[in-house]
Amino acid sequence: MASPMPSRADRTAPAVKAVLGPTNTGKTHLAIERLCAHSSGAIGFPLRLLAREVYDRVCKIKGEANVALITGEERIEPPNARWHLCTVEAMPSRPNLAFVALDEAQLAADPERGHVFTDRLLHTRGREETMLLGSATIEPMVKALVPNVEVVSRPRFSTLSHVGAKKLSRIPPRSAIVAFSAEQVYAMAEMLRRFRGGAAVVMGALSPQTRNAQVAMYQAGEVDYLVATDAIGMGLNLDVSHVAFAGLSKYDGHRHRRLTTAEMAQIAGRAGRHHKDGTFGTLAGLGAGMGGHDPEFADEEVYAIEEHRFPPLTRLFWREAEPRFDSLATLIADLESPPPQPELSAAPQAIDLAVLKRLADEPDVASTVRGRASVQRFWQVCSLPDFRQQGSETHSRFVARLWQDLRHGYLGADYVAQAIAQQDNPSGDIDTLQGRIAAVRSWAYITQRPDWVLAREEMAARARAVETRLSDALHARLTERFVNRRTTVLMRKAGGDASLLPVRISEAGAVLVDDEPIGHLEGFRFVVDPLARAADRKLLLAAAERHLPGLLSSRADELIAAADKPAGLTIEDGTLAWNGLVVARLEPGKSVLEPRLRIDSTLGLLSARQRPVLIAALESWLTRRIAADLGPLLRLAEAACAPESGPDLRALLLKLVAGGGVLAREEAALDRLDPRQRDTLRRLGVRVGALDLFVPGVLKSGPLALWCKLAALKGSAPEAPHGSLPPVVTTKAPAAGYRRAGGQAIRVDMAEKLLQAAHRCRIGAATKRYPLDPALARSMGLATAGYAALLRAAGFRVHMARALAEAAHGPPAPPLWDWRPPRAAPERAPASPPPPPTGAFAALAELMR
C-alpha cells in the first residue's frame, strides 16, 4: 500500500528551505551552523565517513554527551543526546526534532539508494526548520514535491576551469586522478609511485577508517597525489587543485556508459577550495576509454561544467517506505507498487528486494516466515547491506543462514564473538584485507540491531576494534605498495632542483632528507642508497654535491680536533684512519721514518680553504706519533746526517734505523769506529751487546709495531709483534726485535742478559772449562737447545766428554763450556747446525732437554 503524500496538516508546517548549488559552496557548513542554533536536530549524510566527520565537529561545539552518531555499523547514542548525525538510511524518518537537514538530496535520482533519499525528502521534517542540501539540478523536483519550499541558490566560491589533457608525469602536485575501476586505480597509483613517489588511494570498497587514513596522508602533504574512484565526488573535503579524469565512462552495474555532465561536474568540483580556483581535465595517452567512449571532454560538457549549467532532474526514484507485513507476497507487492505521482519513478530492484524475492521462492526458507512480526523481522534481515559486493545470490545465502539463527530469538554472544574473531587477522594482501573488512562490517551492522544480538554493546565494540585493526593494516599495505616516501620527499622538497633539498647527516653516517635515508657516507664519500630507483640517483647525487660540502665541513672540523689527540687517529694497513674511516694513505718517503701522506680522494668535497688545514693537521699528527714512539731512531737518523759522525758511524746508524733499532754485531763493523765515535754511539742510547747492537727505547710493542707498519711501505718487513713483547717466541718468520735461537726466537735484550750471565760465570770460574746453568733461560721460556744455540753463536763451546763418562756410572753431569772470541770478520752466512748426536750422545742430549 502506497504511503500518502504530505497531508494538509503537513502543508501548514514551517517552510522547508532548499539550499542548492554546485560543489564548494559551503552548504554543509551552513547546515552545521543551523543544527547547532536549534535545541535539537539531525542531519542525514550519504556517507558514514561524512557523518563521522561532522559528528566530531559538532562534539567540539556541544560536547560528546549531547551528540549522537547513528550509522548502519556504528551507534553512539548518549542518553540525553539532542543532536544526531546519521547516514540517510539510519536517519529516523519521522523524528521529533527541532531541525532536520538532508545532505546531497539530488541522490534521490540514484538507481540504488534514491528511494531512501526520496522518502526523507518527502516525509522527514523538523518542528521548526527543515533544510535540503544538494545540486541545483534537483530544484524542479523539490518545487513539485515539497509544498511551500524556499529555494536558496548558493554560488560556487571559486572558479573551475578546463585545462585539457595532460600526461600523468606532468600532472601538477595536489591533484586527484579519478578512475572507475579498482584495476585502473591501482595502475594509476603504481605509475605515480614510480614517477612522483606515490599517491593516496580512495575507493568506495575501502572501509571508512582506511579512507580517512589515506585522505589524512594526502591532506598532511605526505603525498601530493590522490587516486580515487567517483566516491571522491561525494562530500569529501580535500585540498585538491586539479582533477584529472582517467576516463569518462563507468560500469553502472548494468552496462558501460559515459558519465552525465552532472556526474562529471560533481567529481570535477572537488578541485578548488573556498576561494581557491581549481582546474580539471583528462589524462593524455590512455587511448579510448572503457566502452570505447572518447576520453576527452566535449565542448558542450566543458561549458556545462564551467558554467554550472546542467539539465534538471526529471524524476526521482521511489519505493514504498511503509509496506505492509501481512505476508511475504503482500510485502513484495507493496515494495514493487507504482509511485503515487508522475514526478516519481519506481526504483530499480535493489539488493534487499532481490534477496527477499529469491528467499521467498525457496520453500525451506519461506515456510519459516509466518505472521506479521515474523515477516517484518525477515524483511529487516533481508535489508542487511551487501558489504562484500558479491551479488544477490551469494548475499542471499548469508542472509538465509542469518535468518535461521535469528528466527528463534537472539544470536548468542559466543557465536558472534567467534564469527568476528575469524576475521581478526591483519596479515594478507590488499584484496584479502578488503574482504575481511567487508565481512566484519556485516557483523558490525548486525551487532547494532538491539533485538538481534545478546551483549550487543560488547559485540559491537569488538566488531569496531577488529575493523579498526584491519583498516590500519589495509592503510599500511596501500602505503607500502603505492607510496615511495623517499621519492615523495625529493619531489616535494626539490621539485627537480637539488639545491632545495634539506640534507643532514645522522650520527650513524646516514644522509637524510626529511628523515628519509638517501645514502650514507663512507669516510667523506657519499654513497647512494642501493635501494634508490635509477631515476632518483641523479637527483640524489646532485643533492649530495650541493649540500654535503657544508655538512662535511663540520665533520672535517671534528677530524681536525681528533688530530690534536694522540689516540685520535690510527695507522692501519698503510692508511690513516679516524673512527674506522680511511682519511689518508701512507706512501714510501725518503726513509722509513719519513713517509708521505696522500689525502683520500673522498675529501675532495671539502673547500679549498679547509683542505690545507686538514692536511696540515694530519701530517702534524703523524709527525708527533713517529716522534713519540720512534724518537730514539729519529735521533739516530739526525746524528747520521751530522758531518762529524764520519762515514763509518753514519753507515752504522743508518743500518740501525733501517733495522728498527736492532743490528747484528757482525754487521756493525765496530772495529772501524774510533773511541770518539763509540762514545757518540753510547750517548745516542745504542747498547753494544755480545751479539747485537740495539736501542732499548725501541724494544717495546708500540714502537716496534709502528716501525713494522712504516717499514712495510718500503717492501718486505719483519713480522710485527702482537701485543706485549714476551722474552721468547716461537715463529718461523723473522720477528722484529728478536734473534733466532734454535727453533725459537729471543728478544735481543733478553739474549744479552743471558750472555752477560754466562760471561760472569766464565770470569768467576777457577778452571778453563765451567758449567752453565740453563735455569734462567728456562724461566724466560727458552728451551735448553735454544740456549745452547745462543751460547754457541756468542763463542761458547760445549765439552761433552766428562758428561759421557759419568753417564756410564750414573746420572749425566751438566756439560762444561769454554769461550773463544768470535772471529772479527763478519759471517755473512749462518753457521750450519752441528750434526745430530748419535748413540750415547743422543741419550745424553735427550736428558739435557
Side-chain angles (χ1 to χ4, degrees):
M1 177 180 178
S3 60
M5 297 302 294
S7 64
R8 184 175 299 277
D10 296 328
R11 296 174 187 271
T12 62
V16 177
K17 179 182 291 185
V19 182
L20 308 177
T23 55
N24 189 16
T25 60
K27 297 188 294 291
T28 303
H29 181 71
L30 175 62
I32 296 172
E33 287 183 346
R34 298 306 303 153
L35 172 75
C36 295
H38 287 275
S39 60
S40 62
I43 303 178
F45 295 95
L47 296 175
R48 172 186 173 190
L49 186 75
L50 286 174
R52 182 76 199 203
E53 177 184 334
V54 177
Y55 166 78
D56 293 336
R57 292 171 61 181
V58 175
C59 282
K60 293 179 181 179
I61 300 172
K62 296 296 186 180
E64 293 184 3
N66 300 312
V67 185
L69 174 67
I70 306 173
T71 70
E73 303 136 78
E74 186 175 10
R75 300 179 74 91
I76 303 175
E77 293 185 272
N80 300 317
R82 292 187 291 159
W83 294 275
H84 301 74
L85 291 312
C86 321
T87 52
V88 172
E89 285 82 354
M91 184 181 188
S93 60
R94 310 295 188 270
N96 183 21
L97 299 170
F99 173 83
V100 168
L102 175 66
D103 192 26
E104 303 291 357
Q106 76 277 2
L107 288 180
D110 180 71
E112 295 182 15
R113 306 169 63 199
H115 61 277
V116 180
F117 283 80
T118 299
D119 177 72
R120 303 300 185 264
L121 184 148
L122 294 175
H123 302 294
T124 305
R125 297 289 185 268
R127 295 192 311 267
E128 301 171 6
E129 184 178 1
T130 301
M131 183 176 289
L132 304 176
L133 312 174
S135 168
T137 58
I138 200 175
E139 181 177 348
M141 293 293 96
V142 169
K143 289 181 176 179
L145 296 171
V146 180
N148 303 323
V149 65
E150 176 189 355
V151 177
V152 177
S153 296
R154 299 274 291 193
R156 181 181 169 91
F157 290 148
S158 59
T159 61
L160 187 63
S161 305
H162 178 246
V163 293
K166 292 179 179 289
K167 291 184 177 180
L168 187 65
S169 59
R170 296 188 177 277
I171 294 294
R174 312 311 296 168
S175 292
I177 293 86
V178 180
F180 296 94
S181 69
E183 292 78 8
Q184 258 195 324
V185 168
Y186 293 158
M188 295 294 106
E190 179 64 27
M191 293 171 70
L192 283 170
R193 187 189 72 82
R194 295 178 182 178
F195 292 146
R196 297 299 181 88
V201 173
V202 174
M203 298 188 296
L206 301 181
S207 68
Q209 289 97 322
T210 305
R211 276 182 287 176
N212 273 340
Q214 291 285 302
V215 168
M217 183 173 65
Y218 172 81
Q219 289 293 91
E222 296 180 34
V223 291
D224 279 329
Y225 300 90
L226 181 76
V227 183
T229 60
D230 51 350
I232 191 179
M234 197 56 63
L236 286 176
N237 295 315
L238 301 169
D239 183 16
V240 173
S241 298
H242 177 75
V243 172
F245 288 75
L248 295 176
S249 62
K250 72 172 185 177
Y251 182 72
D252 62 5
H254 302 282
R255 62 185 178 88
H256 284 291
R257 64 171 178 81
R258 190 175 179 86
L259 301 174
T260 67
T261 53
E263 290 171 330
M264 294 176 184
Q266 184 74 17
I267 298 169
R270 294 298 120 190
R273 191 168 187 181
H274 200 57
H275 292 286
K276 183 179 179 181
D277 296 338
T279 59
F280 70 98
T282 56
L283 288 181
L286 296 182
M290 296 183 66
H293 296 284
D294 187 352
E296 184 54 85
F297 289 100
D299 292 341
E300 57 271 20
E301 291 169 337
V302 172
Y303 173 78
I305 296 171
E306 290 183 340
E307 300 298 326
H308 314 298
R309 298 180 181 275
F310 310 107
L313 297 175
T314 58
R315 62 175 181 174
L316 304 181
F317 288 111
W318 177 91
R319 189 177 75 180
E320 177 57 57
E322 296 179 352
R324 294 168 296 172
F325 299 105
D326 299 336
S327 65
L328 289 178
T330 303
L331 173 61
I332 293 173
D334 282 359
L335 292 174
E336 292 184 329
S337 61
Q341 288 187 235
E343 293 86 0
L344 305 176
S345 294
Q349 180 172 277
I351 186 70
D352 53 0
L353 180 55
V355 169
L356 173 64
K357 294 173 67 175
R358 180 180 291 273
L359 296 181
D361 290 337
E362 295 184 11
D364 292 343
V365 177
S367 62
T368 61
V369 184
R370 292 287 183 269
R372 179 180 179 84
S374 180
V375 172
Q376 184 175 9
R377 188 174 178 84
F378 183 66
W379 171 234
Q380 293 171 349
V381 176
C382 291
S383 299
L384 173 69
D386 181 17
F387 293 107
R388 295 178 176 85
Q389 298 293 314
Q390 294 178 338
S392 60
E393 182 176 353
T394 301
H395 188 54
S396 63
R397 290 197 294 270
F398 179 76
V399 171
R401 290 194 300 271
L402 180 62
W403 169 248
Q404 294 301 325
D405 295 327
L406 280 174
R407 67 190 184 92
H408 296 301
Y410 291 85
L411 296 176
D414 292 341
Y415 171 77
V416 176
Q418 182 180 5
I420 295 172
Q422 288 178 352
Q423 309 302 326
D424 192 5
N425 181 3
S427 62
D429 57 16
I430 292 174
D431 293 336
T432 301
L433 289 172
Q434 285 186 209
R436 292 188 187 129
I437 290 173
V440 83
R441 288 183 70 188
S442 297
W443 287 104
Y445 183 93
I446 291 169
T447 58
Q448 295 303 325
R449 302 290 304 186
D451 56 342
W452 285 13
V453 179
L454 293 173
R456 181 184 69 84
E457 293 184 359
E458 178 187 351
M459 294 302 104
R462 289 194 182 193
R464 287 196 301 271
V466 171
E467 183 181 352
T468 298
R469 282 193 291 273
L470 293 176
S471 297
D472 290 342
L474 179 57
H475 171 63
R477 298 295 186 282
L478 290 169
T479 303
E480 290 170 5
R481 179 172 173 183
F482 298 124
V483 177
N484 183 327
R485 293 191 181 276
R486 173 172 49 217
T487 305
T488 302
V489 168
L490 291 176
M491 298 307 299
R492 184 173 67 246
K493 292 292 183 180
D497 183 359
S499 65
L500 299 178
L501 290 173
V503 181
R504 69 180 182 87
I505 303 176
S506 71
E507 295 180 357
V511 181
L512 308 175
V513 176
D514 272 9
D515 295 327
E516 288 295 328
I518 66 172
H520 66 279
L521 287 177
E522 290 184 357
F524 283 75
R525 181 168 63 91
F526 174 68
V527 179
V528 177
D529 191 330
L531 299 179
R533 298 184 304 111
D536 294 339
R537 297 181 72 86
K538 184 176 180 181
L539 184 61
L540 298 181
L541 286 170
E545 291 175 358
R546 294 287 186 90
H547 289 270
L548 285 180
L551 296 173
L552 293 181
S553 176
S554 60
R555 173 168 278 205
D557 289 339
E558 295 176 12
L559 175 54
I560 292 171
D564 285 337
K565 303 174 183 177
L569 303 175
T570 58
I571 299 176
E572 301 172 1
D573 298 328
T575 64
L576 209 60
W578 172 51
N579 294 332
L581 304 175
V582 174
V583 295
R585 300 187 182 278
L586 301 178
E587 296 179 343
K590 290 187 297 183
S591 69
V592 174
L593 300 180
E594 297 176 295
R596 289 200 302 268
L597 197 65
R598 180 168 56 86
I599 299 300
D600 194 78
S601 60
T602 58
L603 296 169
L605 290 176
L606 295 179
S607 66
R609 177 193 58 81
Q610 197 170 32
R611 284 194 70 190
V613 176
L614 178 60
I615 293 173
L618 297 180
E619 290 177 341
S620 175
W621 181 90
L622 182 60
T623 301
R624 293 196 307 273
R625 173 68 186 276
I626 293 174
D629 286 355
L630 301 176
L633 295 185
L634 286 174
R635 288 192 291 274
L636 295 183
E638 291 174 2
C641 297
E644 62 271 16
S645 295
D648 295 327
L649 181 58
R650 180 181 300 112
L652 188 154
L653 293 176
L654 291 178
K655 287 181 180 179
L656 272 172
V657 172
V662 177
L663 178 65
R665 180 166 181 156
E666 58 197 28
E667 298 180 3
L670 289 173
D671 55 335
R672 298 180 182 179
L673 301 183
D674 57 35
R676 181 184 58 80
Q677 290 174 321
R678 287 175 177 269
D679 185 60
T680 300
L681 207 60
R682 284 191 296 272
R683 283 189 284 103
L684 289 173
V686 179
R687 184 171 178 182
V688 179
L691 292 177
D692 299 286
L693 278 69
F694 59 91
V695 181
V698 182
L699 293 179
K700 299 175 184 178
S701 58
L704 276 181
L706 176 60
W707 178 83
C708 288
K709 293 175 182 178
L710 297 179
L713 300 176
K714 287 282 191 179
S716 61
E719 180 180 347
H722 300 286
S724 61
L725 297 180
V728 176
V729 296
T730 301
T731 176
K732 294 182 179 179
Y738 288 77
R739 79 157 24 249
R740 301 293 301 178
Q744 296 174 291
I746 184 170
R747 207 169 69 212
V748 293
D749 57 340
M750 292 294 101
E752 180 62 20
K753 183 176 181 179
L754 291 176
L755 294 176
Q756 289 278 352
H759 280 293
R760 283 194 295 270
C761 288
R762 176 180 65 83
I763 295 171
T767 62
K768 186 178 180 180
R769 297 179 180 178
Y770 41 85
L772 294 177
D773 188 357
L776 179 60
R778 289 197 193 99
S779 69
M780 296 180 184
L782 185 64
T784 304
Y787 180 52
L790 179 66
L791 290 173
R792 283 194 295 269
F796 288 89
R797 295 182 304 167
V798 64
H799 296 272
M800 304 292 293
R802 184 174 74 92
L804 289 174
E806 294 182 1
H809 305 286
L816 298 178
W817 297 80
D818 68 0
W819 179 78
R820 178 179 298 176
R823 289 181 302 172
E827 298 181 8
R828 297 298 178 183
S832 58
T838 59
F841 286 97
L844 178 60
E846 183 64 28
L847 288 174
M848 289 176 66
R849 289 179 183 275

